[in-house]
Amino acid sequence: MRTPFLAANWKMNKTVGETRDFLAQFIPQVRDVSGVDIVIAPPFTSLATAAAEIKGTNIMLAAQNVFHEEKGAFTGEISPRMLVDIGCRYSIIGHSERRQYFHETDEMVNKKIMIAKQTGLGVILCIGESLEEREAEKTFDVLSRQLEIGLNGIEYQNIVIAYEPIWAIGTGKTAAPEQAQEAHAFIRERLRIYYGNNAEKFAIIYGGSVTPENVDSLMACRDVDGALVGGASLKAESFSRIVKFRKVQ
Ligand code: PEP
């Protein structure tokens, strides 16, 4: 049995004060939720505050990005050691916005995963195709390449895969549950090639316009083990409803 994994990606949103306000509402709303991994990924500037506020709760902390070196002359970057030190359990790696705007390649993603894992930082690896790639029927090729290069030489523990079709991110266009299930089943098949039976242990989560309205039907899919939520994670009410998804058949 895989534990459902529900993660909030705040992107470049929320000041320290707004982080505090969110958590003051959110923590009591999810206090009684058990059997679910709840993760928030605030911007770097809010990590210390969030770490202090969630201490002793059932909420875990993630960063939105990490650099692929331990330390040194890399102005503006943050290392996995610094993230673990501040209380992060995970880092998102390879988000499509980083691939698109900051030219992150699969090889860079692989290096980041490698060093994150060496440091004891869990990884939320984002993969997914663009609309153009989907329309050209290249979805599975893209997913295969991102997994093959991204996970090259990486052991299976402490990795969550987030399938995030780029055409669904921030657009209000969610993948239909059948589309999500098809992609997630494909991803698990690929993981079986690299990891054998350990492929069953991976949480494969869906991201792309997840809301309180569509989370239940997505979570009903066999291979959808959770969600990475952007826009709908910015309000405590809405993200807490997502965390408290109901399993529909
Ligand atoms: C994301 O950025 O990871 C994401 C899924 O965003 P949204 O939920 O806003 O589509």
Side-chain angles (χ1 to χ4, degrees), residues 193-233:
I193 297 171
Y194 312 130
Y195 300 109
N197 288 342
N198 287 326
E200 304 305 321
K201 297 181 180 149
F202 278 79
I204 304 177
I205 66 176
Y206 169 81
S209 299
V210 174
T211 63
E213 289 72 37
N214 60 28
V215 67
D216 297 343
S217 53
L218 286 161
M219 289 301 290
C221 301
R222 190 165 46 89
D223 286 289
V224 175
D225 303 314
L228 181 56
V229 187
S233 73

Short mmCIF file of all heavy atoms in Angstrom, two decimals, residues 193-233:
data_model
loop_
_atom_site.label_atom_id
_atom_site.label_comp_id
_atom_site.label_asym_id
_atom_site.label_seq_id
_atom_site.Cartn_x
_atom_site.Cartn_y
_atom_site.Cartn_z
N ILE A 193 11.17 -1.40 -15.29
CA ILE A 193 12.38 -1.76 -16.06
C ILE A 193 13.63 -1.45 -15.23
O ILE A 193 14.57 -2.23 -15.21
CB ILE A 193 12.41 -0.98 -17.40
CG1 ILE A 193 11.22 -1.39 -18.26
CG2 ILE A 193 13.74 -1.19 -18.13
CD1 ILE A 193 11.03 -0.55 -19.50
N TYR A 194 13.61 -0.31 -14.54
CA TYR A 194 14.82 0.08 -13.77
C TYR A 194 14.86 -0.54 -12.38
O TYR A 194 15.92 -0.79 -11.84
CB TYR A 194 14.90 1.60 -13.60
CG TYR A 194 14.68 2.38 -14.86
CD1 TYR A 194 13.77 3.43 -14.89
CD2 TYR A 194 15.37 2.06 -16.03
CE1 TYR A 194 13.56 4.15 -16.06
CE2 TYR A 194 15.15 2.76 -17.19
CZ TYR A 194 14.24 3.80 -17.20
OH TYR A 194 14.02 4.49 -18.35
N TYR A 195 13.69 -0.71 -11.78
CA TYR A 195 13.67 -1.03 -10.34
C TYR A 195 12.93 -2.33 -10.01
O TYR A 195 12.77 -2.65 -8.83
CB TYR A 195 13.03 0.13 -9.56
CG TYR A 195 13.77 1.44 -9.73
CD1 TYR A 195 13.22 2.48 -10.48
CD2 TYR A 195 15.03 1.64 -9.17
CE1 TYR A 195 13.89 3.68 -10.65
CE2 TYR A 195 15.72 2.84 -9.34
CZ TYR A 195 15.15 3.85 -10.08
OH TYR A 195 15.82 5.04 -10.25
N GLY A 196 12.47 -3.06 -11.01
CA GLY A 196 11.76 -4.31 -10.75
C GLY A 196 10.56 -4.09 -9.85
O GLY A 196 9.83 -3.10 -10.00
N ASN A 197 10.38 -4.97 -8.87
CA ASN A 197 9.22 -4.88 -7.99
C ASN A 197 9.19 -3.62 -7.14
O ASN A 197 8.14 -3.20 -6.66
CB ASN A 197 9.16 -6.09 -7.06
CG ASN A 197 8.76 -7.33 -7.83
OD1 ASN A 197 8.22 -7.23 -8.93
ND2 ASN A 197 9.06 -8.50 -7.27
N ASN A 198 10.35 -3.00 -6.96
CA ASN A 198 10.38 -1.75 -6.17
C ASN A 198 9.62 -0.62 -6.85
O ASN A 198 9.32 0.40 -6.22
CB ASN A 198 11.82 -1.32 -5.90
CG ASN A 198 12.48 -2.22 -4.85
OD1 ASN A 198 11.81 -2.68 -3.92
ND2 ASN A 198 13.77 -2.49 -5.01
N ALA A 199 9.29 -0.80 -8.12
CA ALA A 199 8.48 0.22 -8.83
C ALA A 199 7.15 0.42 -8.12
O ALA A 199 6.58 1.52 -8.17
CB ALA A 199 8.26 -0.21 -10.27
N GLU A 200 6.66 -0.62 -7.47
CA GLU A 200 5.36 -0.53 -6.76
C GLU A 200 5.43 0.44 -5.59
O GLU A 200 4.41 0.90 -5.09
CB GLU A 200 4.92 -1.90 -6.24
CG GLU A 200 4.81 -2.99 -7.29
CD GLU A 200 3.92 -2.60 -8.44
OE1 GLU A 200 2.88 -1.96 -8.20
OE2 GLU A 200 4.29 -2.91 -9.60
N LYS A 201 6.64 0.69 -5.11
CA LYS A 201 6.78 1.52 -3.92
C LYS A 201 6.74 3.01 -4.23
O LYS A 201 6.59 3.83 -3.34
CB LYS A 201 8.10 1.20 -3.20
CG LYS A 201 8.14 -0.23 -2.70
CD LYS A 201 9.44 -0.54 -1.98
CE LYS A 201 9.43 -1.99 -1.50
NZ LYS A 201 10.75 -2.58 -1.46
N PHE A 202 6.91 3.38 -5.49
CA PHE A 202 6.94 4.80 -5.84
C PHE A 202 5.56 5.42 -5.73
O PHE A 202 4.59 4.88 -6.27
CB PHE A 202 7.36 4.98 -7.31
CG PHE A 202 8.84 4.93 -7.54
CD1 PHE A 202 9.50 3.71 -7.60
CD2 PHE A 202 9.57 6.09 -7.73
CE1 PHE A 202 10.87 3.65 -7.84
CE2 PHE A 202 10.94 6.05 -7.97
CZ PHE A 202 11.59 4.82 -8.02
N ALA A 203 5.47 6.56 -5.08
CA ALA A 203 4.25 7.36 -5.22
C ALA A 203 4.38 8.10 -6.56
O ALA A 203 5.39 8.77 -6.80
CB ALA A 203 4.13 8.35 -4.07
N ILE A 204 3.39 7.94 -7.40
CA ILE A 204 3.36 8.70 -8.66
C ILE A 204 2.18 9.66 -8.54
O ILE A 204 1.02 9.22 -8.46
CB ILE A 204 3.19 7.77 -9.90
CG1 ILE A 204 4.29 6.70 -9.92
CG2 ILE A 204 3.22 8.60 -11.18
CD1 ILE A 204 4.17 5.69 -11.05
N ILE A 205 2.49 10.94 -8.45
CA ILE A 205 1.44 11.92 -8.17
C ILE A 205 1.15 12.74 -9.42
O ILE A 205 1.99 12.87 -10.31
CB ILE A 205 1.81 12.81 -6.96
CG1 ILE A 205 3.03 13.69 -7.24
CG2 ILE A 205 2.10 11.93 -5.73
CD1 ILE A 205 3.36 14.66 -6.10
N TYR A 206 -0.05 13.29 -9.47
CA TYR A 206 -0.47 14.06 -10.65
C TYR A 206 -0.45 15.55 -10.32
O TYR A 206 -0.86 15.96 -9.22
CB TYR A 206 -1.89 13.64 -11.08
CG TYR A 206 -2.44 14.61 -12.10
CD1 TYR A 206 -2.07 14.52 -13.44
CD2 TYR A 206 -3.25 15.68 -11.71
CE1 TYR A 206 -2.50 15.45 -14.37
CE2 TYR A 206 -3.69 16.61 -12.63
CZ TYR A 206 -3.32 16.48 -13.96
OH TYR A 206 -3.74 17.42 -14.87
N GLY A 207 0.01 16.36 -11.27
CA GLY A 207 -0.05 17.82 -11.10
C GLY A 207 -0.55 18.48 -12.36
O GLY A 207 -0.19 18.06 -13.47
N GLY A 208 -1.39 19.47 -12.21
CA GLY A 208 -1.94 20.21 -13.35
C GLY A 208 -3.37 20.57 -13.08
O GLY A 208 -4.26 19.77 -13.28
N SER A 209 -3.55 21.79 -12.52
CA SER A 209 -4.89 22.32 -12.25
C SER A 209 -5.73 21.40 -11.36
O SER A 209 -6.94 21.22 -11.58
CB SER A 209 -5.62 22.63 -13.56
OG SER A 209 -4.92 23.62 -14.29
N VAL A 210 -5.09 20.80 -10.36
CA VAL A 210 -5.86 20.03 -9.37
C VAL A 210 -6.60 21.01 -8.47
O VAL A 210 -6.05 22.04 -8.06
CB VAL A 210 -4.93 19.13 -8.52
CG1 VAL A 210 -5.71 18.44 -7.39
CG2 VAL A 210 -4.24 18.10 -9.39
N THR A 211 -7.85 20.71 -8.19
CA THR A 211 -8.70 21.57 -7.36
C THR A 211 -9.50 20.69 -6.39
O THR A 211 -9.55 19.47 -6.54
CB THR A 211 -9.73 22.34 -8.23
OG1 THR A 211 -10.58 21.36 -8.85
CG2 THR A 211 -9.06 23.20 -9.29
N PRO A 212 -10.19 21.32 -5.42
CA PRO A 212 -11.06 20.54 -4.55
C PRO A 212 -12.15 19.83 -5.35
O PRO A 212 -12.64 18.78 -4.96
CB PRO A 212 -11.67 21.60 -3.63
CG PRO A 212 -10.67 22.70 -3.59
CD PRO A 212 -10.07 22.73 -4.97
N GLU A 213 -12.50 20.37 -6.52
CA GLU A 213 -13.60 19.79 -7.32
C GLU A 213 -13.16 18.53 -8.08
O GLU A 213 -13.97 17.65 -8.32
CB GLU A 213 -14.12 20.81 -8.34
CG GLU A 213 -14.92 21.97 -7.73
CD GLU A 213 -14.03 22.97 -6.96
OE1 GLU A 213 -12.89 23.24 -7.41
OE2 GLU A 213 -14.47 23.45 -5.88
N ASN A 214 -11.89 18.47 -8.50
CA ASN A 214 -11.51 17.32 -9.32
C ASN A 214 -10.60 16.31 -8.61
O ASN A 214 -10.27 15.27 -9.15
CB ASN A 214 -10.88 17.77 -10.65
CG ASN A 214 -9.62 18.62 -10.44
OD1 ASN A 214 -8.93 18.46 -9.45
ND2 ASN A 214 -9.32 19.49 -11.40
N VAL A 215 -10.17 16.65 -7.38
CA VAL A 215 -9.19 15.77 -6.72
C VAL A 215 -9.74 14.36 -6.47
O VAL A 215 -9.03 13.37 -6.64
CB VAL A 215 -8.65 16.40 -5.41
CG1 VAL A 215 -9.72 16.52 -4.34
CG2 VAL A 215 -7.46 15.61 -4.88
N ASP A 216 -11.03 14.26 -6.12
CA ASP A 216 -11.56 12.94 -5.76
C ASP A 216 -11.52 11.97 -6.95
O ASP A 216 -11.15 10.81 -6.81
CB ASP A 216 -13.00 13.06 -5.24
CG ASP A 216 -13.07 13.88 -3.96
OD1 ASP A 216 -12.02 14.08 -3.32
OD2 ASP A 216 -14.17 14.35 -3.62
N SER A 217 -11.90 12.49 -8.13
CA SER A 217 -11.93 11.58 -9.28
C SER A 217 -10.51 11.23 -9.73
O SER A 217 -10.26 10.12 -10.23
CB SER A 217 -12.76 12.15 -10.43
OG SER A 217 -12.31 13.42 -10.74
N LEU A 218 -9.57 12.15 -9.56
CA LEU A 218 -8.18 11.82 -9.92
C LEU A 218 -7.62 10.78 -8.95
O LEU A 218 -6.97 9.81 -9.35
CB LEU A 218 -7.31 13.07 -9.90
CG LEU A 218 -7.53 14.03 -11.08
CD1 LEU A 218 -7.01 15.42 -10.77
CD2 LEU A 218 -6.88 13.48 -12.35
N MET A 219 -7.91 10.97 -7.66
CA MET A 219 -7.39 10.05 -6.64
C MET A 219 -8.03 8.66 -6.72
O MET A 219 -7.54 7.72 -6.10
CB MET A 219 -7.57 10.64 -5.24
CG MET A 219 -6.67 11.82 -4.94
SD MET A 219 -4.91 11.47 -5.09
CE MET A 219 -4.64 10.40 -3.69
N ALA A 220 -9.11 8.57 -7.48
CA ALA A 220 -9.76 7.25 -7.64
C ALA A 220 -8.99 6.38 -8.64
O ALA A 220 -9.23 5.17 -8.72
CB ALA A 220 -11.20 7.44 -8.11
N CYS A 221 -8.08 6.96 -9.40
CA CYS A 221 -7.34 6.18 -10.39
C CYS A 221 -6.30 5.29 -9.70
O CYS A 221 -5.63 5.74 -8.77
CB CYS A 221 -6.60 7.11 -11.36
SG CYS A 221 -7.69 8.21 -12.25
N ARG A 222 -6.17 4.08 -10.22
CA ARG A 222 -5.32 3.08 -9.57
C ARG A 222 -3.88 3.55 -9.34
O ARG A 222 -3.30 3.31 -8.30
CB ARG A 222 -5.34 1.79 -10.40
CG ARG A 222 -4.70 0.60 -9.71
CD ARG A 222 -5.08 -0.70 -10.43
NE ARG A 222 -4.95 -0.57 -11.87
CZ ARG A 222 -3.82 -0.82 -12.55
NH1 ARG A 222 -2.75 -1.23 -11.92
NH2 ARG A 222 -3.79 -0.68 -13.86
N ASP A 223 -3.32 4.21 -10.36
CA ASP A 223 -1.90 4.58 -10.25
C ASP A 223 -1.68 6.05 -9.88
O ASP A 223 -0.56 6.53 -9.96
CB ASP A 223 -1.18 4.25 -11.56
CG ASP A 223 -0.97 2.76 -11.69
OD1 ASP A 223 -0.15 2.20 -10.96
OD2 ASP A 223 -1.68 2.13 -12.52
N VAL A 224 -2.73 6.74 -9.50
CA VAL A 224 -2.57 8.14 -9.04
C VAL A 224 -2.48 8.11 -7.52
O VAL A 224 -3.45 7.81 -6.83
CB VAL A 224 -3.72 9.04 -9.52
CG1 VAL A 224 -3.58 10.45 -8.93
CG2 VAL A 224 -3.76 9.10 -11.05
N ASP A 225 -1.28 8.40 -7.02
CA ASP A 225 -1.03 8.24 -5.58
C ASP A 225 -1.03 9.57 -4.84
O ASP A 225 -0.66 9.61 -3.66
CB ASP A 225 0.34 7.57 -5.37
CG ASP A 225 0.42 6.23 -6.08
OD1 ASP A 225 -0.54 5.44 -5.97
OD2 ASP A 225 1.43 5.98 -6.77
N GLY A 226 -1.39 10.64 -5.52
CA GLY A 226 -1.38 11.93 -4.84
C GLY A 226 -1.40 13.05 -5.84
O GLY A 226 -1.65 12.82 -7.03
N ALA A 227 -1.11 14.25 -5.36
CA ALA A 227 -1.17 15.41 -6.25
C ALA A 227 -0.11 16.43 -5.87
O ALA A 227 0.24 16.57 -4.69
CB ALA A 227 -2.55 16.04 -6.18
N LEU A 228 0.40 17.12 -6.88
CA LEU A 228 1.24 18.30 -6.68
C LEU A 228 0.38 19.48 -7.13
O LEU A 228 -0.09 19.50 -8.28
CB LEU A 228 2.52 18.19 -7.51
CG LEU A 228 3.53 19.35 -7.40
CD1 LEU A 228 3.94 19.61 -5.95
CD2 LEU A 228 4.79 19.07 -8.23
N VAL A 229 0.14 20.38 -6.22
CA VAL A 229 -0.91 21.39 -6.44
C VAL A 229 -0.30 22.79 -6.41
O VAL A 229 0.35 23.16 -5.43
CB VAL A 229 -1.99 21.28 -5.33
CG1 VAL A 229 -3.16 22.20 -5.64
CG2 VAL A 229 -2.45 19.84 -5.16
N GLY A 230 -0.53 23.55 -7.46
CA GLY A 230 -0.03 24.92 -7.51
C GLY A 230 -1.10 25.90 -7.02
O GLY A 230 -1.29 26.09 -5.82
N GLY A 231 -1.83 26.47 -7.95
CA GLY A 231 -2.80 27.54 -7.64
C GLY A 231 -3.73 27.21 -6.48
O GLY A 231 -3.94 28.05 -5.59
N ALA A 232 -4.28 26.01 -6.47
CA ALA A 232 -5.28 25.67 -5.45
C ALA A 232 -4.64 25.36 -4.09
O ALA A 232 -5.35 25.03 -3.13
CB ALA A 232 -6.13 24.48 -5.91
N SER A 233 -3.32 25.46 -4.01
CA SER A 233 -2.69 25.23 -2.70
C SER A 233 -2.43 26.54 -1.96
O SER A 233 -1.92 26.53 -0.83
CB SER A 233 -1.36 24.47 -2.86
OG SER A 233 -0.36 25.32 -3.39
#
